[in-house]
Amino acid sequence: MTPLVSAAPSLADVLTAAGTIPAPKVDYFAVSPLLVVFAAAIVGVMVEAFAPRGSRFRIQVGVAVLGLVAGAALVGAVAVDGRVLQTAGSAGAAVGGIVGAVVVDKPALFLQGSILVLSLLSVLTMAERTVESGGPFTPQASAVPGSPAESLARRAGLVQSEVFPLLMFSVGGMMLFPAANDLLTMFIALEVFSLPLYLMCGLARRRRLLSQEASLKYFLLGAFSSAFFLYGAALLYGFAGSVRLFDIAQAISGDSGPVGKDPLLLLGIALLAVGLLFKVGAAPFHIWTPDVYQGAPTPVTGFMAACTKIAAFGALLRVSYVALPGARWDWTPALWGVAILTMVVGAVIAIVQTDVKRMLAYSSIAHAGFILTGILAYSRSGVSSVLFYLLAYGFSTVGAFALVTLVRDAGDGDAVGGEATHLSQWAGLGRRSPLLAGLFTLFLLAFAGIPLTSGFIGKYAVFSAAVAGGGWVLALVGVLASAVAAFFYLRVVVLMYFSEPSGPTTVVATPGVPVVVAVSVAAFATLLLGVFPTVVLDLTQGASAFLP
Amino acid sequence: MTPLIAEGTRATAEAASGTLQTGAWLLVGLPLLGAAVLLLGGRRTNAWGHWLAVALSWASFVWGALLFLDLRGLDAEQRVRNLHLFDWVPAGDKSTGFNVSAGLQLDPLSVAFVLLVTFVGSLILVYSVAYMEHDPDRRRFFAYLNLFVASMLLLVLADNYLLLYVGWEGVGLASYLLIGFWNHNPAYAAASKKAFIANRVGDLGLSIAIMLMFAGFGTVSFAEVLPNADKASEGLLTAIGLMLLLGACGKSAQFPLQSWLGDAMAGPTPVSALIHAATMVTAGVYLVVRSGPIFEGAPTAQLVVVIVGAVTLVFGAVVGCAKDDIKKALAASTMSQIGYMMLAAGLGPIGYYFAIFHLLTHGFFKAGMFLGAGSVMHGMNDSVDMRRFGGLSTAMVTTYATFGLGWLAILGIPPFSGFWSKDGIIETAFATGEGWRPWVFGLTAMLGAAVTAFYMSRLFFMTFRGRKRWPEEAHPHESPALMTVPMIVLSVGSAALGFLLWSGSRFEHWLEPVTGGGVEGEPVIPKYVLMAITVALVLGGAFFAWSRYGSAAATVPQEAPRGSLLTRAARRDLYQDDVNEALLMRPGQYLTRSLVFVDNRGVDGVVRGVAAGIGGIAGRLRRWQTGFVRSYATSMLAGVLVVALGILAVRV
């Protein structure tokens, strides 16, 4: 429990304190990364309002990059400054269990750092304007697809730049999510990062109807799941009399805990879990994933796949390790079922996919299952393995989706067409563009968990943690699912290298510097984490203890 | 004052000797550097690369010669020097783990090899400068040769079996690369593969021997294994010995792994001279001699060594009688001569001495004859068919003379080199063992000498004497000086080296620290009688060849006559390839085919079945994904119910 942001007056306090609201104690240094990111988002809104149209795009990219870099630097500074963490711990003890709304402990810092780094790469892929002069986003989101207004906007050369402040808000919410120390803050963070994402999903320049459909589906189902989350939080409040994670844990394990309220607790856990499992895309709440991943603009998909997973798994880790350890025997069996179902569904259905984005969507579902096995280990090595896996998977995902944006239909003349996402269009790519095919192969091998890539270390870490935690069944299913998954990853490799090219309908666009940087960093990280994993493993092991 | 000065000189001398010894790694390092520069430097080194290779090889020789003089200055018991280079494999703890340090052993045996390899090797490199002058890939050729010299030196200088194995594989690689040097010719490429595979079989033996050694002794260094060999059980020693022999058979083309040597003549002739006559193929003999204490503790393995040597020497001699290809005939003779060495190496300490002695003299005269053959080919448009030679003595005088000295040496005519070494082997064979052994092995060696005399004389006369049978377009001429000078130097060795080493038992005493010395036994037939019989048989064989191929009256048909059953068999290398094909290749093919069948139908069937099953499931599961958000919400709700009930159910 740390830098307590807003000593968030818990509802109980407010009600019993007879109208006096204690002033929140805020450790501004500890939450400075959050503040910087949110500030950058607000500056972005201002820029959108006041900056001249011609330079808006560049300013927005600059603000976003600066905000993220500054945020990452501050995360580093806070992590290095052990004092903050120390005082946070002792302060919590001194206040006698009154916990703040935000806790900046080592896992939170690691997750925030991961989110910032991967968002930075995502911003680079979103800022791509070499392949298509307008970038990957529609110039005017409000225009009806195919309407005169849309063609007018296109002819006017409008460039979508609102996406950057949206992204910054989303990043801010994601950073808050795993650091939230009570369920209400967590809910707010959930909405703060989800709402911009719903919007961003609908911004694709091409196939706008599909994109808007994805956006709407995501919004409806997201709202549905948020309701479950909120209801779950309410039930838990009913059980514990507090929304603070620590209080809930006390209520569960304490001798003087509430009697006869177990149904509240159990249903509360179930509904809360549903809200979180929806965000990580675990079966049977995964069903939005393929449609949304396919419809959303590809850079957004990459961002969503990498960063939403980190934030949501971070929150899931915190809830299960801080609030619910006392009730683990009640809810882990259900989570076991979810993990097994997720791995199997993700790996099996991916086999019959013919669209590369949908295939990657199912692959992300399978990976969610693998990560769940690490959470279920209920140990520090489990936490450490999940943290490592999330970062490793994030790098490969952002890189893979960035490459997907480069494979295009041949357009009229020099102009490129839309993304060629049908797998048959990827045939023979190895001959036409060895570099792209080679990098994509690297990412696929990482997804498949082949040694010398980050994916192998990640899988090894979560499975060994699961086995050590008694979950050898999970590990067994995980390994079998990995074998099934290897099939469809390698099928793409075979397709790229050993099939005749599909003809001149597919072209590989040459990206600008930002995408080159993003892909290179992702590829380098994928290799580095595979060959010298100890650099990061040491970090995750050091960051595997949650503060209550 | 005087003592002081004397002291000073001694200190300087010791310092110099220290530098010489600690720098012994340069022996390996210099040619390796040459190979690296030539291979990595690419075309830029085309102009001068071959001279660099020659210079580095000579530099190695000079260092080796200084080292030899240095060792000679020491007392006999101090002549075994170990040079630690670095800790190579530090696995496990000091006492029970697998710890190998890379080190060199400088002793009379290794230094003798160093001198042979660097001296003969350098001469052959000089020869190659002219021989390969018009080859577009000359640089690559010299790079490989340097690689070979480096590996061979590592092989003989290593102070443990694992490092020896590195050199062993290195020479195998160089041999493979050089046999297939003209790999655009499919037959040559196939020959290199054949050599490689036959050698792999042997290498497997060597590696198993090394593993057994580690299992039995806990170490693989010469200094720890060999002195303790007498403490090990005979069974272990026999196993190690037989596996070492298997390795030696592969590398030295001994029966039953002899089949690759004839085909290895596909490589350029200098390669045949250096690798497949003078040095690499004798590595097996080196291995057996080096591992002497192991074989002495395993009489069965030792007997097998002798039998392998005897069989091979007869085998090679018979094949040699029928070959019309000058290089293949020389290859058969190499095999046969190494059979002599192997036979000697199985005869105990005094045998080791004669084996190495014959190895050295053979290195000179056989290399000389191969270079002579190369010179003949050079003058005859690369023809190798002896039936189209004849009467070349007038056209190529130097080649004729140098080849003649080599011929006299291999025949064992006194006082040429081969006489001293080969006669020693025959005597030792007659003097070692009890009962039937001296008779069988002694008579084999003696008759082998007679057959050798016949086929080598046949080769010599068919090439240089008799009527001219060469085709119209051939214009035989003497080769340039770069080629003839090495031949002359080697022929001096062929003539005189044997006596030089023999006189005063010089070489015997030199080797004593390694072989342990030994007393020459008394042959079952008196020594001088034996010598006289041998020489008489040799002269008889040579005269027979003269009458058939060399005399003015002899006619040699240009097309090979059908010949007797034995001749036809010998022309086909006594059906070695057919036997290998029937015993190994065909069953191997059947085995792989049936495994492929099982793999296709059985393993793949299961895999495909599972894949199809999963695909079917996936096809059904994907119908879940209807695309309608209402059904998605319904399925979520169902999921919520399942999870909630699941959690509640745990309590019940």
Side-chain angles (χ1 to χ4, degrees):
Chain A
M1 61 181 193
T2 293
L4 337 158
V5 161
S6 76
S10 83
L11 284 175
D13 290 340
V14 177
L15 294 177
T16 54
T20 57
I21 299 178
K25 282 195 292 178
V26 180
D27 183 338
Y28 286 102
F29 179 50
V31 294
S32 58
L34 269 173
L35 298 180
V36 164
V37 170
F38 278 124
I42 292 166
V43 170
V45 173
M46 296 296 157
V47 168
E48 202 60 33
F50 298 113
R53 180 170 283 166
S55 51
R56 218 179 271 165
F57 178 84
R58 254 168 291 148
I59 298 177
Q60 289 287 27
V61 174
V63 168
V65 168
L66 271 181
L68 293 171
V69 169
L74 285 169
V75 165
V78 175
V80 170
D81 185 32
R83 178 185 56 83
V84 172
L85 304 175
Q86 281 301 319
T87 52
S90 52
V95 198
I98 296 177
V99 188
V102 174
V103 56
V104 181
D105 52 11
K106 284 183 178 174
L109 281 171
F110 184 87
L111 291 161
Q112 290 180 341
S114 307
I115 291 171
L116 284 167
V117 170
L118 293 170
S119 316
L120 193 58
L121 298 187
S122 303
V123 166
L124 294 179
T125 63
M126 289 179 194
E128 165 61 50
R129 286 178 66 192
T130 314
V131 177
E132 263 181 303
S133 62
F137 302 104
T138 176
Q140 202 172 19
S142 54
V144 177
S147 67
E150 190 191 31
S151 47
L152 202 67
R154 192 172 298 157
R155 268 204 304 281
L158 298 190
V159 175
Q160 174 62 257
S161 52
E162 287 156 325
V163 71
F164 295 104
L166 285 174
L167 172 106
M168 294 305 283
F169 277 119
S170 186
V171 170
M174 287 173 180
M175 290 166 66
L176 181 59
F177 201 38
N181 209 21
D182 70 44
L183 294 176
L184 278 182
T185 313
M186 198 173 270
F187 177 72
I188 291 166
L190 175 70
E191 293 306 309
V192 168
F193 84 75
S194 296
L195 288 171
L197 275 181
Y198 301 148
L199 278 175
M200 287 160 76
C201 286
L203 291 182
R205 165 174 288 264
R206 298 180 186 265
R207 299 209 266 185
R208 287 196 55 207
L209 281 175
L210 197 68
S211 171
Q212 293 185 344
E213 184 186 327
S215 172
L216 191 65
K217 276 181 186 167
Y218 193 20
F219 170 67
L220 286 174
L221 297 173
F224 197 38
S225 81
S226 293
F228 284 118
F229 182 91
L230 198 55
Y231 195 13
L235 291 177
L236 286 175
Y237 178 73
F239 168 77
S242 166
V243 289
R244 287 183 185 155
L245 302 182
F246 182 73
D247 293 344
I248 295 171
Q250 294 275 314
I252 293 172
S253 59
D255 301 333
S256 58
V259 185
K261 288 183 180 173
D262 278 1
L264 287 183
L265 171 68
L266 298 180
L267 270 180
I269 293 174
L271 299 185
L272 198 70
V274 168
L276 291 170
L277 291 173
F278 175 85
K279 282 294 165 196
V280 303
F285 315 104
H286 68 285
I287 199 142
W288 57 276
T289 318
D291 290 10
V292 174
Y293 275 27
Q294 187 186 16
T298 308
V300 173
T301 312
F303 168 66
M304 222 165 31
C307 296
T308 310
K309 261 209 172 58
I310 297 181
F313 269 114
L316 191 57
L317 272 176
R318 184 172 297 282
V319 168
S320 36
Y321 281 69
V322 176
L324 305 178
R328 58 180 287 203
W329 301 115
D330 292 316
W331 64 281
T332 44
L335 207 56
W336 270 53
V338 169
I340 290 175
L341 187 68
T342 308
M343 290 187 277
V344 171
V345 163
V348 168
I349 304 190
I351 288 181
V352 287
Q353 298 305 318
T354 51
D355 183 283
V356 68
K357 282 171 82 177
R358 282 185 89 83
M359 188 200 86
L360 289 177
Y362 278 104
S363 135
S364 97
I365 294 168
H367 284 288
F370 300 142
I371 299 173
L372 278 176
T373 63
I375 292 186
L376 285 167
Y378 249 107
S379 62
R380 283 191 60 169
S381 67
V383 176
S384 154
S385 69
V386 169
L387 295 182
F388 183 90
Y389 202 119
L390 286 169
L391 183 64
Y393 173 74
F395 274 119
S396 310
T397 303
V398 171
F401 277 108
L403 291 177
V404 170
T405 64
L406 301 180
V407 181
R408 298 293 187 125
D409 290 326
D412 308 329
D414 289 341
V416 292
E419 284 162 10
T421 54
H422 198 275
L423 277 178
S424 65
Q425 292 171 291
W426 286 59
L429 217 57
R431 222 167 303 165
R432 201 170 316 162
S433 178
L435 184 62
L436 181 132
L439 286 169
F440 202 69
T441 303
L442 171 69
F443 294 131
L444 288 175
L445 293 180
F447 288 144
I450 305 295
L452 294 185
T453 63
S454 57
F456 171 74
I457 307 289
K459 277 214 176 84
Y460 179 78
V462 291
F463 290 155
S464 60
V467 169
W472 64 269
V473 177
L474 285 176
L476 185 69
V477 175
V479 170
L480 290 177
S482 303
V484 174
F487 168 76
F488 63 79
Y489 295 128
L490 295 182
R491 190 181 53 177
V492 178
V493 176
V494 170
L495 195 68
M496 288 195 296
Y497 284 99
F498 304 108
S499 300
E500 284 305 308
S502 56
T505 57
T506 313
V507 294
V508 173
T510 312
V513 178
V515 172
V516 172
V517 171
V519 172
S520 315
V521 171
F524 179 71
T526 300
L527 273 180
L528 184 79
L529 294 187
V531 181
F532 301 109
T534 39
V535 184
V536 175
L537 278 176
D538 288 347
L539 215 58
T540 59
Q541 268 150 17
S544 57
F546 285 98
L547 289 176
Chain B
M1 267 329 261
T2 322
L4 266 182
I5 288 170
E7 200 100 300
T9 3
R10 194 185 303 156
T12 323
E14 269 167 18
S17 132
T19 319
L20 270 177
Q21 287 174 15
T22 50
W25 60 273
L26 281 171
L27 287 170
V28 180
L30 290 174
L32 199 62
L33 173 75
V37 168
L38 263 63
L39 285 177
L40 301 178
R43 264 179 238 134
R44 270 159 292 174
T45 61
N46 268 355
W48 43 268
H50 47 285
W51 288 117
L52 176 76
V54 172
L56 287 173
S57 181
W58 278 115
S60 257
F61 168 70
V62 170
W63 198 284
L66 292 173
L67 210 53
F68 164 70
L69 295 175
D70 180 41
L71 279 195
R72 231 171 60 129
L74 297 172
D75 298 333
E77 59 270 24
Q78 289 186 339
R79 283 183 191 157
V80 181
R81 317 292 280 191
N82 281 297
L83 173 65
H84 174 86
L85 294 180
F86 56 91
D87 286 329
W88 183 21
V89 188
D93 64 44
K94 283 282 167 221
S95 53
T96 58
F98 184 60
N99 291 288
V100 184
S101 62
L104 303 183
Q105 177 159 334
L106 305 170
D107 64 10
L109 179 60
S110 62
V111 170
F113 260 93
V114 166
L115 291 180
L116 172 74
V117 171
T118 53
F119 185 65
V120 176
S122 302
L123 283 175
I124 290 174
L125 276 163
V126 171
Y127 176 94
S128 306
V129 171
Y131 189 83
M132 299 297 284
E133 191 173 0
H134 302 295
D135 196 290
D137 282 328
R138 180 164 67 168
R139 174 178 57 82
R140 188 161 59 93
F141 180 81
F142 278 89
Y144 292 163
L145 273 188
N146 257 357
L147 175 67
F148 168 76
V149 171
S151 309
M152 188 72 202
L153 291 175
L154 184 64
L155 195 168
V156 296
L157 283 169
D159 76 343
N160 64 69
Y161 283 95
L162 199 65
L163 194 60
L164 176 147
Y165 194 68
V166 173
W168 190 268
E169 291 302 306
V171 293
L173 171 69
S175 157
Y176 167 75
L177 292 171
L178 285 164
I179 294 171
F181 185 72
W182 290 313
N183 54 21
H184 42 79
N185 180 334
Y188 293 1
S192 67
K193 272 193 274 185
K194 188 174 178 185
F196 200 73
I197 289 168
N199 268 291
R200 288 288 77 65
V201 177
D203 294 349
L204 198 67
L206 179 54
S207 63
I208 291 174
I210 294 174
M211 293 176 213
L212 285 173
M213 230 174 259
F214 176 69
F217 296 92
T219 170
V220 295
S221 79
F222 296 157
E224 287 167 290
V225 171
L226 300 177
N228 295 321
D230 50 353
K231 299 188 191 87
S233 74
E234 192 181 323
L236 177 70
L237 292 180
T238 307
I240 296 179
L242 289 176
M243 285 298 121
L244 287 174
L245 177 63
L246 182 61
C249 284
K251 193 63 67 194
S252 295
Q254 297 294 291
F255 184 83
L257 295 177
Q258 79 289 2
S259 66
W260 63 273
L261 188 60
D263 291 310
M265 297 301 123
T269 307
V271 171
S272 312
L274 178 59
I275 302 184
H276 304 118
T279 54
M280 183 192 84
V281 286
T282 58
V285 179
Y286 168 80
L287 184 67
V288 173
V289 170
R290 177 59 88 191
S291 315
I294 290 175
F295 285 97
E296 278 151 40
T300 318
Q302 215 172 14
L303 179 63
V304 177
V305 173
V306 179
I307 293 172
V308 164
V311 169
T312 313
L313 95 83
V314 174
F315 191 108
V318 172
V319 171
C321 293
K323 289 287 179 188
D324 293 330
D325 177 327
I326 185 169
K327 283 182 74 181
K328 295 216 164 158
L330 283 173
S333 121
T334 302
M335 191 194 294
S336 172
Q337 295 301 311
I338 298 172
Y340 271 108
M341 299 171 209
M342 201 56 96
L343 188 155
L347 295 175
I350 192 71
Y352 302 156
Y353 152 62
F354 281 117
I356 300 298
F357 186 14
H358 194 54
L359 195 158
L360 291 184
T361 55
H362 174 258
F364 275 79
F365 62 69
K366 186 52 70 60
M369 283 192 285
F370 258 113
L371 294 190
S375 174
V376 170
M377 287 163 63
H378 189 79
M380 295 290 288
N381 298 332
D382 287 333
S383 165
V384 287
D385 186 359
M386 294 189 291
R387 293 189 179 276
R388 309 270 168 147
F389 292 166
L392 285 174
S393 55
T394 49
M396 316 175 80
V397 179
T398 316
T399 308
Y400 171 60
T402 55
F403 202 105
L405 286 171
W407 168 65
L408 290 170
I410 195 173
L411 254 56
I413 307 281
F416 299 100
S417 284
F419 167 75
W420 307 100
S421 51
K422 195 196 274 181
D423 194 65
I425 293 177
I426 295 172
E427 269 171 34
T428 314
F430 270 111
T432 310
E434 288 148 10
W436 55 274
R437 285 193 199 172
W439 291 104
V440 170
F441 297 128
L443 286 174
T444 308
M446 187 186 264
L447 288 176
V451 182
T452 304
F454 168 73
Y455 72 80
M456 284 311 297
S457 308
R458 171 178 177 271
L459 187 156
F460 184 69
F461 294 138
M462 275 176 93
T463 305
F464 293 104
R465 307 305 306 250
R467 294 189 196 140
K468 295 172 183 173
R469 299 182 300 276
W470 60 66
E472 286 297 309
E473 65 274 15
H475 301 288
H477 54 271
E478 189 53 271
S479 301
L482 271 180
M483 286 167 71
T484 51
V485 170
M487 284 153 59
I488 293 169
V489 175
L490 287 172
S491 70
V492 171
S494 312
L497 185 69
F499 180 75
L500 275 180
L501 294 181
W502 174 83
S503 65
S505 301
R506 220 175 264 166
F507 190 59
E508 195 179 348
H509 291 317
W510 169 250
L511 276 185
E512 249 175 32
V514 180
T515 60
V519 190
E520 209 168 337
E522 201 50 42
V524 285
I525 304 174
K527 202 170 164 182
Y528 292 99
V529 179
L530 207 58
M531 211 180 279
I533 298 174
T534 309
V535 172
L537 280 173
V538 163
L539 289 176
F543 180 77
F544 183 50
W546 163 258
S547 65
R548 288 195 60 176
Y549 303 101
S551 70
T555 51
V556 180
Q558 295 205 5
E559 293 304 323
R562 190 173 147 76
S564 68
L565 201 62
L566 183 62
T567 313
R568 271 178 281 151
R571 279 192 195 133
R572 299 202 55 180
D573 303 303
L574 298 180
Y575 302 117
Q576 60 181 18
D577 292 334
D578 306 73
V579 169
N580 283 347
E581 205 174 301
L583 284 184
L584 302 172
M585 191 190 99
R586 288 278 153 70
Q589 276 180 340
Y590 288 131
L591 184 67
T592 50
R593 251 181 242 158
S594 49
L595 284 179
V596 166
F597 180 80
V598 171
D599 185 51
N600 279 344
R601 292 297 163 86
V603 180
D604 284 9
V606 172
V607 170
R608 290 218 181 91
V610 170
I614 292 178
I617 295 170
R620 282 200 191 95
L621 278 179
R622 79 189 287 198
R623 288 192 207 144
W624 194 354
Q625 202 78 30
T626 55
F628 293 117
V629 74
R630 56 173 187 265
S631 67
Y632 290 3
T634 316
S635 82
M636 267 182 67
L637 188 61
V640 171
L641 288 177
V642 170
V643 169
L645 288 175
I647 290 181
L648 287 171
V650 173
R651 271 296 169 92
V652 178

